[in-house]
Amino acid sequence: MSLLKDFMDPTHHRFRRRSRSPEHLDYENAEATVEPQRQLAALVRDTTAKIANHMGEIAQAHATLMQGLQRYFGLDVSGVDTSAMALMQECASVTESFEQCLRKAGFAEVMSSCDEVLKECASVAALLQERDDALSDRQHYEEKVATLQSVSKGVVTDQIARNREKLERAKEVHQLREQKLTTALQLFIYRRPVHFRQTLLALFRQHIGIMSVVGTKAQGAMKAVAAELQVGEKARIVGLQKAVDLNELVVIVEGEESTGRLYVKLPDGRQKSVRIENLCPHTSEALGDHAEDAGDTGPQHKEASEVEGTEPAVPLRLKLEPARIPCSGAEVVVKAQDLAAAISEVWVDGNSCEILEDLSSGACSAARVRVPASRNRAGGAALVEVRSTSWARHLIREEAASYFPLLTFATCSPNIALASQSQASAPPAKPGDDEKPYLDIATRERGLISAVALTSELPPIKGHRYFFQVKLEAMAEKRSNRTLSLGFVWPLPHALLLEGDEAPLVPQMKRRASHWTSDGHMPELAHQLPRSFVVGGDPPKAYMGGRELAKITWRPLLECTVGAVLGVVLDMGPSSLTLTILEEGEEKCKVTGPLIEEWRWPSLGAPNGVVDVCGTVTSISLCQGARPPELPLPLPAADKDADMDLEGDAQDAKHARRHFCTALSSEL
């Protein structure tokens, strides 16, 4: 963030605040304003060209590798087993995804934007040079006229008159160029946030976008690679040169060494350390005469296959209670099947967990552990690794848990008091305990209005869908004609260019209201926020950007009761926004409004949830870990066409791979 702080340093805005006349503009200050922007644009353009060239070389290497594999398979397929072929197909799919993303990448547009910025910088620099030349001419004639007047001793000669005329013309030229330069500088400074976003941030969007898509695709391939030789799975020994008598034996993988070799159990019960390269997964199709060695695994797979009608399902040997963990961490119980000894180590998402209590009983190893906070505050699936006391030989690694993000209130009106649900039930904090609770309860302490509370930024659910859920904790005894409103709000443009005062690991800290309001104060009612989409109140209405959008049939004044759980869903389309209110999963109202054009600059981004604890409602809480409802996603016609094209491409690729596999199977 140091670069962003540099650009937002107040010294870069001196031309906005100067009260001096244009003729006093300082050349060095103006040059200091333009030159950093020029250097950044040139740097981004050169970096974009290098990234595009290097990615192109990687894509070309991928294509060459795939062509070589095709030639290899055409000559010899005897060394390729079924599992290796499946992994090869997964990896080939990743390379194809990379090439497709690279073809669609907008690196050329980024470089074009950089060229536009460089042209603007060159134009301002030219105006600076013209202003400087005009100033030099003016100073020259001022000095010449002063010299002539001192020599003539008060007599106005023809030479003095001519130079005075030239001086007046020089002053006019200098003033015109100074005014032109001032206008250009003001426009340049005003557009600097746009320059920054259309160069550096545009490069990050393209670059990180490619890595994100390819990473998502590669994750499935990596799971297939990691799952090929799991502990407890069967494998076939191949290619041993010394202990040739062990070749083709079906063994069971029992653990791994720190060197990367695997411990396997031979049919006679002995253990052997084998390199991964000398083990091929023993698939269910290859069991054949060894079906009796499968024990209970065979019937389980058979039963799963009969029920599912698809490939056999592999039961998880790890179980976490609960399996969904808040991003802030929690205490859970880990149970492991078929572990040789008591649990000695537990890792969740790469974080070491503190073992609090051994709960093992019989053949089941179990322990109560404290899972630390996740590094990824957005949540997602988590890989769990459990090891026994002899961890080098006994471990289980499965994707048996998931993190969910915690919501907190980011800011609120003065009539609102924020508290934490976890803090209310937790024991008193110990001295020196730096952990701060999430503020997820908003209570109105006085008045009927000025009770607006905004949540932290909401993560996307599916595509451009956002969701949060609240519970009505308390209501006023006296009736009122005012009641709650719910919806979403987006930060103002300047807030997207400033580094927030919210520390990354302390999301419960309140941010300034100036991120969402122009005057720095929360309004009396939620729908008065400039960039808001809100429904509620009485008479019940929908508001967008402070203006009435439509009347709604849901009346929270009459329908809401203490304990009611309300879900708020937002679907963002290319040109419209759809807000849905749910109560206990039942749709109460649904409103669609046009996406206001001015909201698009510099970026609409992710919204914050907004809750107006107004009138009859006095306290409300955020529901942590709430799952979004399964509502159909609205899809515009243009997106449908694009999806049909992508589906067609996917079908073509699928047919091509199927044809290739059929040909290979015939060769094998």
Side-chain angles (χ1 to χ4, degrees):
M1 296 302 294
S2 59
L3 180 61
L4 185 57
K5 291 179 180 177
D6 229 7
F7 271 88
M8 299 312 297
D9 188 5
T11 58
H12 288 270
H13 296 266
R14 62 190 69 191
F15 292 104
R16 291 184 180 179
R17 300 195 301 267
R18 292 176 70 94
S19 58
R20 299 160 64 184
S21 61
E23 62 185 3
H24 290 95
L25 278 175
D26 189 275
Y27 172 84
E28 294 182 357
N29 288 338
E31 186 178 24
T33 302
V34 178
E35 182 60 20
Q37 202 74 38
R38 186 197 66 78
Q39 293 179 2
L40 177 65
L43 175 64
V44 173
R45 183 188 60 183
D46 296 340
T47 304
T48 304
K50 291 180 181 179
I51 290 175
N53 291 337
H54 290 169
M55 286 189 171
E57 292 175 359
I58 294 174
Q60 182 61 39
H62 288 168
T64 303
L65 177 62
M66 292 299 105
Q67 293 172 3
L69 285 175
Q70 290 179 2
R71 290 193 297 269
Y72 171 79
F73 290 142
L75 297 175
D76 183 14
V77 293
S78 59
V80 184
D81 58 89
T82 305
S83 177
M85 175 58 66
L87 293 180
M88 190 278 298
Q89 291 174 347
E90 290 286 348
C91 297
S93 177
V94 174
T95 61
E96 291 175 3
S97 176
F98 178 79
E99 294 173 3
Q100 293 175 2
C101 292
L102 190 59
R103 285 195 295 267
K104 297 177 181 179
F107 289 128
E109 288 78 5
V110 176
M111 296 178 66
S112 176
S113 299
C114 292
D115 290 334
E116 293 177 5
V117 175
L118 290 174
K119 287 180 181 179
E120 291 188 37
C121 293
S123 176
V124 176
L127 292 176
L128 284 167
Q129 185 62 44
E130 292 176 4
R131 189 285 309 270
D132 205 41
D133 293 340
L135 180 61
S136 178
D137 290 342
R138 174 178 174 173
Q139 293 174 348
H140 167 71
Y141 286 113
E142 287 177 345
E143 294 174 358
K144 189 172 183 179
V145 169
T147 302
L148 292 174
Q149 287 178 346
S150 64
V151 173
S152 64
K153 298 180 180 180
V155 180
V156 179
T157 63
D158 293 338
Q159 187 178 10
I160 293 176
R162 289 196 303 272
N163 282 278
R164 282 182 176 177
E165 293 178 359
K166 293 179 180 179
L167 175 60
E168 292 300 322
R169 289 197 297 270
K171 286 182 178 180
E172 293 177 0
V173 172
H174 175 252
Q175 185 177 6
L176 289 174
R177 292 183 178 178
E178 193 73 65
Q179 292 176 351
K180 189 175 181 181
L181 173 62
T182 302
T183 303
L185 280 174
Q186 290 175 346
L187 180 60
F188 182 85
I189 293 173
Y190 178 76
R191 283 182 51 79
R192 279 197 309 163
V194 180
H195 294 162
F196 187 82
R197 301 188 75 84
Q198 73 180 11
T199 55
L200 185 62
L201 291 187
L203 170 60
F204 283 153
R205 289 192 195 98
Q206 299 299 331
H207 191 193
I208 303 301
I210 291 178
M211 292 192 294
S212 174
V213 174
V214 177
T216 303
K217 190 72 175 179
Q219 188 176 7
M222 197 60 213
K223 287 181 180 179
V225 172
E228 188 185 28
L229 292 171
Q230 287 284 333
V231 176
E233 297 293 330
K234 291 193 173 185
R236 183 167 51 90
I237 299 178
V238 295
L240 293 180
Q241 297 181 4
K242 295 183 179 180
V244 293
D245 57 314
L246 300 180
N247 287 332
E248 300 302 325
L249 285 181
V250 177
V251 297
I252 298 177
V253 179
E254 289 198 330
E256 63 177 338
E257 291 182 337
S258 57
T259 58
R261 298 169 69 95
L262 296 180
Y263 281 104
V264 299
K265 183 179 180 180
L266 301 179
D268 58 5
R270 291 182 299 157
Q271 281 190 339
K272 182 75 175 178
S273 176
V274 184
R275 293 189 305 170
I276 295 179
E277 294 84 346
N278 293 105
L279 292 172
C280 288
H282 194 60
T283 59
S284 58
E285 292 83 356
L287 286 176
D289 298 335
H290 304 281
E292 296 178 357
D293 298 333
D296 295 335
T297 304
Q300 289 178 359
H301 283 283
K302 181 178 180 181
E303 181 180 356
S305 179
E306 291 175 354
V307 174
E308 299 290 339
T310 57
E311 295 182 358
V314 180
L316 293 177
R317 294 185 295 154
L318 280 180
K319 183 178 181 181
L320 272 70
E321 298 176 355
R324 298 185 73 236
I325 308 170
C327 286
S328 60
E331 291 186 6
V332 302
V333 174
V334 181
K335 297 181 180 180
Q337 298 291 338
D338 302 329
L339 201 62
I343 297 174
S344 62
E345 292 184 46
V346 178
W347 295 73
V348 177
D349 201 25
N351 296 319
S352 177
C353 303
E354 178 186 357
I355 297 180
L356 304 175
E357 183 182 0
D358 184 12
L359 302 176
S360 301
S361 61
C364 179
S365 301
R368 184 169 59 89
V369 303
R370 178 179 288 114
V371 181
S374 173
R375 299 186 184 95
N376 181 16
R377 289 177 54 197
L383 186 67
V384 181
E385 184 175 301
V386 175
R387 294 172 175 171
S388 67
T389 51
S390 53
W391 66 268
R393 299 192 180 191
H394 305 285
L395 66 87
I396 302 176
R397 185 187 295 115
E398 294 177 347
E399 199 172 86
S402 63
Y403 281 104
F404 64 86
L406 284 176
L407 280 180
T408 181
F409 284 112
T411 189
C412 64
S413 298
N415 288 350
I416 286 289
L418 301 180
S420 171
Q421 299 182 69
S422 58
Q423 189 180 37
S425 58
K430 299 178 181 180
D433 190 359
D434 295 332
E435 185 178 356
K436 298 181 180 179
Y438 280 74
L439 303 175
D440 50 5
I441 298 180
T443 303
R444 190 179 78 249
E445 295 185 324
R446 55 188 175 273
L448 292 176
I449 57 176
S450 294
V452 179
L454 306 185
T455 73
S456 53
E457 186 177 286
L458 300 172
I461 303 300
K462 292 181 180 179
H464 296 284
R465 168 170 287 178
Y466 298 90
F467 170 78
F468 72 98
Q469 189 169 279
V470 299
K471 180 181 179 181
L472 274 60
E473 299 288 349
M475 300 187 71
E477 296 181 0
K478 295 182 179 180
R479 301 299 296 175
S480 169
N481 61 346
R482 296 183 181 275
T483 189
L484 89 158
S485 297
L486 300 169
F488 300 86
V489 62
W490 288 263
L492 296 177
H494 72 274
L496 300 176
L497 301 174
L498 295 172
E499 181 185 18
D501 56 3
E502 186 176 7
L505 297 180
V506 191
Q508 67 275 8
M509 292 179 62
K510 293 196 294 183
R511 300 177 69 183
R512 295 189 302 270
S514 58
H515 284 73
W516 297 275
T517 60
S518 56
D519 59 0
H521 300 283
M522 297 298 293
E524 293 183 347
L525 300 173
H527 71 259
Q528 296 171 348
L529 289 163
R531 290 190 170 194
S532 63
F533 189 12
V534 176
V535 299
D538 200 80
K541 296 179 182 179
Y543 298 88
M544 180 173 286
R547 298 180 179 179
E548 181 180 336
L549 180 66
K551 295 181 180 180
I552 59 175
T553 56
W554 175 56
R555 293 198 67 183
L557 182 67
L558 302 179
E559 300 181 36
C560 290
T561 58
V562 175
V565 177
L566 302 176
V568 193
V569 185
L570 175 72
D571 290 306
M572 296 176 56
S575 58
S576 63
L577 301 174
T578 301
L579 194 157
T580 307
I581 299 293
L582 305 170
E583 182 174 358
E584 304 294 346
E586 179 184 355
E587 183 178 307
K588 290 296 182 179
C589 74
K590 187 173 186 178
V591 183
T592 299
L595 179 57
I596 300 176
E597 186 64 30
E598 63 183 23
W599 290 11
R600 299 176 184 269
W601 188 93
S603 173
L604 190 57
N608 303 81
V610 55
V611 179
D612 196 344
V613 191
C614 176
T616 57
V617 178
T618 59
S619 183
I620 203 165
S621 64
L622 297 173
C623 299
Q624 303 290 4
R627 295 180 180 273
E630 293 296 333
L631 298 178
L633 286 169
L635 186 64
D639 293 345
K640 290 181 180 178
D641 296 339
D643 285 352
M644 291 178 65
D645 295 339
L646 292 175
E647 184 179 354
D649 295 341
Q651 290 293 337
D652 294 341
K654 183 177 180 181
H655 290 319
R657 287 196 296 270
R658 183 180 299 172
H659 176 73
F660 177 75
C661 293
T662 302
L664 179 63
S665 300
S666 62
E667 293 290 341
L668 291 172

